[in-house]
């Protein structure tokens, strides 16, 4: 291009609105070849719009998969789930909800170095959950209302809420850092292992179906099992029973008891 008025290059309406590789190349060449102010601005705007649209599309593809996925940030948890249930679909830090919401047993999450069980709320059909021997400081099972067997022992849990899990029959939560444990709603409990958890109180007055109760090595000052006629095993030694509490328990307990008992 030499001398005279610079040659103007225009693009049609179709070329402006239709994404194409050829269109991009044409626009770039036009910017280089054309020094006319108005034409150059039009082409620049065209290229900016194309670039913005492509960037927006890339961000959408890189973001969360969508509402049909359940967030599970712990890689060890995701690996354990897929190892036990190979049909579960994973996208980054997400489970596809439809591939986990029918799982009833999750036993492979024990002793797997898991520090965060976020995502367990998507397993709404769970009846059995073993997550013992991990590094869990919290555990939310409020949506897992079908649970009948929960084993979360040997974790540094400082709280455990099972008030929504009324179907529970077995709860094994020993060797945690619990100071309280509310099992008053868990009327179907038959086995409760809550020893070595620093409990200050334990109310089992509503747990009349209990057969096994292990609550030794805590800081309990009282324990009333007088209404639990089906209890066959009770171990409540190494607590802080005061005011003759242990002898009162034994008197009420042995009246209809034929199993094993240890309060020493």
């Amino acid at each position: 291009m030499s001398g005279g008025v610079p040659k103007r290059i225009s693009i049609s309406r179709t070329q402006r609105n239709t994404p194409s590789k050829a269109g991009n190349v044409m626009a770039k060449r036009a910017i280089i070849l054309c020094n006319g102010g108005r034409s150059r601005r039009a082409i620049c705007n065209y290229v900016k719009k194309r670039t913005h649209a492509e960037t927006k599309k890339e961000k959408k593809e890189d973001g969360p998969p969508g509402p049909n996925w359940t967030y599970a940030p712990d890689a060890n948890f995701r690996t354990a789930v897929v190892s036990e249930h190979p049909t579960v679909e994973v996208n980054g830090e997400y489970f596809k909800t439809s591939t986990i919401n029918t799982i009833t047993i999750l036993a492979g999450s024990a002793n797997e170095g898991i520090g965060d069980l976020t995502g367990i709320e998507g397993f709404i059909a769970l009846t059995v959950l073993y997550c013992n021997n991990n590094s869990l400081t919290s555990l939310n099972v409020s949506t897992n209302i079908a649970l009948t067997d929960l084993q979360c022992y040997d974790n540094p849990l400082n709280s455990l809420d099972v008030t929504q899990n009324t179907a529970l029959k077995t709860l094994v939560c020993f060797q945690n850092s619990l100071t309280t444990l509310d099992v008053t709603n868990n009327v179907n409990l038959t086995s409760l292992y809550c020893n070595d958890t620093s409990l200050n109180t334990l109310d089992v007055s509503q747990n009349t179906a209990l057969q096994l109760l292990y609550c030794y090595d805590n800081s309990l000052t009282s324990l009333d099992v007088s209404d639990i006629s089906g209890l066959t095993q009770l171990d409540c030694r190494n607590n802080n029973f005061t005011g003759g509490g242990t002898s009162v328990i034994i008197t009420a307990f042995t009246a209809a008891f034929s199993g094993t008992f240890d309060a020493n």
Side-chain angles (χ1 to χ4, degrees):
M1 197 166 65
S2 60
V5 179
K7 182 180 179 181
R8 293 183 178 275
I9 299 177
S10 61
I11 55 177
S12 67
R13 182 180 299 274
T14 302
Q15 288 173 319
R16 289 192 186 99
N17 298 328
T18 304
S20 69
K21 185 175 181 181
N24 284 342
V25 172
M26 180 277 297
K28 290 178 182 178
R29 287 178 179 173
I31 290 174
I32 295 171
L33 295 176
C34 181
N35 63 3
R38 183 178 298 176
S39 178
R40 184 185 178 98
R41 283 195 298 271
I43 295 170
C44 284
N45 289 336
Y46 168 75
V47 174
K48 285 179 181 178
K49 288 179 180 178
R50 292 279 295 121
T51 305
H52 176 71
E54 290 171 355
T55 302
K56 187 176 180 180
K57 181 179 179 182
E58 289 173 0
K59 287 183 177 179
K60 184 177 181 181
E61 290 175 350
D62 293 339
N68 298 320
W69 296 77
T70 300
Y71 181 53
D74 194 293
N76 290 337
F77 178 39
R78 297 194 304 272
T79 298
V81 169
V82 174
S83 295
E84 185 177 359
H85 300 280
T87 58
V88 170
E89 295 183 32
V90 177
N91 186 334
E93 296 184 332
Y94 294 79
F95 291 125
K96 189 172 184 179
T97 305
S98 61
T99 64
I100 63 173
N101 61 12
T102 57
I103 292 175
T104 57
I105 297 176
L106 200 57
S109 295
N111 198 25
E112 293 294 335
I114 299 170
D116 188 349
L117 217 64
T118 297
I120 197 65
E121 62 272 13
F123 295 76
I124 58 175
L126 274 186
T127 58
V128 175
L129 173 59
Y130 295 168
C131 56
N132 49 282
N133 297 95
N134 282 299
S135 303
L136 301 173
T137 57
S138 63
L139 178 60
N140 182 2
V141 290
S142 59
T143 63
N144 311 108
I145 58 175
L147 276 177
T148 59
D149 186 354
L150 173 58
Q151 301 195 18
C152 55
Y153 62 89
D154 201 5
N155 277 289
L157 290 174
N158 48 45
S159 65
L160 179 63
D161 185 353
V162 291
T163 56
Q164 303 301 313
N165 310 102
T166 57
L168 268 182
K169 292 183 177 180
T170 300
L171 175 57
V172 186
C173 58
F174 62 82
Q175 292 181 346
N176 276 288
S177 300
L178 308 175
T179 55
T180 60
L181 179 64
D182 185 356
V183 290
T184 54
N185 286 351
N186 309 107
V187 296
N188 294 303
L189 271 181
T190 58
S191 301
L192 175 57
Y193 300 80
C194 56
N195 48 287
D196 296 293
T197 55
S198 303
L199 289 177
N200 295 314
T201 61
L202 181 63
D203 181 1
V204 290
S205 60
Q206 304 302 311
N207 309 109
T208 56
L210 273 178
Q211 298 174 13
L212 309 177
L213 175 56
Y214 289 83
C215 56
Y216 61 88
D217 290 333
N218 280 296
S219 300
L220 301 176
T221 57
S222 64
L223 180 66
D224 184 359
V225 292
S226 57
D227 292 328
I228 310 177
S229 59
L231 201 60
T232 59
Q233 293 185 39
L234 171 63
D235 190 342
C236 58
R237 56 196 160 88
N238 297 331
N239 276 285
N240 297 327
F241 296 121
T242 58
T246 303
S247 61
V248 172
I249 292 169
I250 293 174
T251 302
F253 180 56
T254 54
F257 179 66
S258 59
T260 59
F261 172 74
D262 193 345
N264 297 319

